Amino acid sequence: MSAETVPQKPVLLTGASGALGRVLTRALGEQGWTLRLTDRVPFPDPLPEGARFQLADLEDGPAILRLAEGCGTILHFGGISVEHPFETVIGPNIRGLYHAYEAARRERARMIFASSNHAVGFHTRSEILDDTCSLAPDGYYGLSKAYGELMGGLYRDKHGVESVFLRIGSCFPEPTDARMLATWLSFADLSRLITRATLAPNLGPAGSVVIWAASNNSRMTWWRHDGRAVIGWAPQDSADSYAAALEGKTSGNPVVERYQGGGFTAIDYSRRDTGAA
Ligand code: NAI
Ligand code: 15L
């Protein structure tokens, strides 16, 4: 196996038993990668050759440090993945994130952080965002992702830890509503993205990049300019072929339709209007 397709050191994947963790385990396993998988629930699939799984809670700092020993990359996909009350989010997504960054610092590993479009979800759909746009979380979940990107900045500036911040749109087998005609990321594009983010020899002078992680959807007019050229990634799939079936599939809720974050923005929404002009 050539050094250009397989990382030299093992790769730690948190959230391995989740939807995207399973997709990545299969794809990266097929590429011959040495994977250390972890989650707080058992891994439900057969393990690929070169992979080993260990149950651990992200809130158990020493366990995460042990799991990361010798790893060159941490794919941090574990945690609460949709909107929940603050008290539910804080342990896995804030304390757990801190443990993952401490492990990256100790190992001098690159962090590939599954951030989310919900870190910027309260930007309106008429805005075009660059990777330098202001954070605008649309709930406690999005806030935890924004915090993760800020924590990555701290660990870069203070400790030299490299980070790839993936602002993932909607990564599912296929798009299922009109919003996803913009935000959809195919599983194959995700796997190629993780491959490039891991194997890129460096992340440029800044030491971190933001990626708008969506496929090549012609309706993706909200996001532009990111670090994809630095890591050598270009999405190959597109939601466009689903347009005829999904174009009319909207929510009917003016708040949901106004903002990029869609349904998450309307959860526990208590303004009396539909948002800032
Ligand atoms: P998922 O909910 O299927 O997987 C998350 C995994 O994290 C689960 O297996 C869960 O058991 C594990 N986990 C939760 N708390 C934990 C803890 N305290 N300790 C150890 N493991 C814990 O979510 P999915 O869809 O696979 O997403 C993966 C990552 O990508 C998440 O961080 C999510 O926020 C992010 N993301 C996903 C998007 C998508 O469209 N699927 C979009 C944007 C971001
Ligand atoms: C996310 O961050 C979630 O993890 C995922 O379940 C979807 O809700 C996605 O965003 C989205 O915005 O479609």
Short mmCIF file of all heavy atoms in Angstrom, two decimals, residues 74 83 170 174 185 199 226:
data_model
loop_
_atom_site.label_atom_id
_atom_site.label_comp_id
_atom_site.label_asym_id
_atom_site.label_seq_id
_atom_site.Cartn_x
_atom_site.Cartn_y
_atom_site.Cartn_z
N ILE A 74 -7.28 12.42 14.38
CA ILE A 74 -8.50 12.12 15.12
C ILE A 74 -9.67 12.61 14.28
O ILE A 74 -9.75 13.80 13.94
CB ILE A 74 -8.52 12.80 16.50
CG1 ILE A 74 -7.33 12.30 17.34
CG2 ILE A 74 -9.85 12.54 17.21
CD1 ILE A 74 -7.19 12.95 18.71
N GLU A 83 -30.44 18.78 17.72
CA GLU A 83 -30.76 19.71 18.79
C GLU A 83 -31.32 18.99 20.02
O GLU A 83 -32.17 18.10 19.91
CB GLU A 83 -31.77 20.76 18.28
CG GLU A 83 -32.15 21.82 19.28
CD GLU A 83 -30.98 22.68 19.80
OE1 GLU A 83 -29.81 22.39 19.51
OE2 GLU A 83 -31.26 23.63 20.53
N SER A 170 -26.04 18.21 5.03
CA SER A 170 -26.95 17.11 5.38
C SER A 170 -26.40 15.85 4.73
O SER A 170 -26.53 15.66 3.52
CB SER A 170 -28.35 17.38 4.83
OG SER A 170 -28.82 18.66 5.24
N GLU A 174 -29.69 9.89 0.72
CA GLU A 174 -30.15 10.77 -0.37
C GLU A 174 -30.87 11.97 0.23
O GLU A 174 -31.30 11.92 1.40
CB GLU A 174 -31.04 10.01 -1.35
CG GLU A 174 -32.16 9.23 -0.73
CD GLU A 174 -32.94 8.44 -1.78
OE1 GLU A 174 -32.31 7.83 -2.67
OE2 GLU A 174 -34.17 8.44 -1.69
N LEU A 185 -24.85 16.24 1.30
CA LEU A 185 -23.50 15.71 1.09
C LEU A 185 -23.63 14.20 0.94
O LEU A 185 -24.15 13.53 1.84
CB LEU A 185 -22.60 16.02 2.30
CG LEU A 185 -21.19 15.41 2.27
CD1 LEU A 185 -20.32 16.07 1.18
CD2 LEU A 185 -20.51 15.56 3.63
N LEU A 199 -4.96 12.98 4.53
CA LEU A 199 -3.70 12.76 3.82
C LEU A 199 -3.01 14.04 3.36
O LEU A 199 -1.83 14.00 3.01
CB LEU A 199 -3.95 11.85 2.60
CG LEU A 199 -4.40 10.42 2.92
CD1 LEU A 199 -4.73 9.66 1.63
CD2 LEU A 199 -3.35 9.67 3.72
N ASP A 226 -13.59 28.30 0.67
CA ASP A 226 -13.18 27.52 1.84
C ASP A 226 -11.82 26.90 1.56
O ASP A 226 -11.14 27.29 0.59
CB ASP A 226 -14.25 26.47 2.21
CG ASP A 226 -14.44 25.40 1.12
OD1 ASP A 226 -13.65 25.36 0.16
OD2 ASP A 226 -15.39 24.59 1.26
#
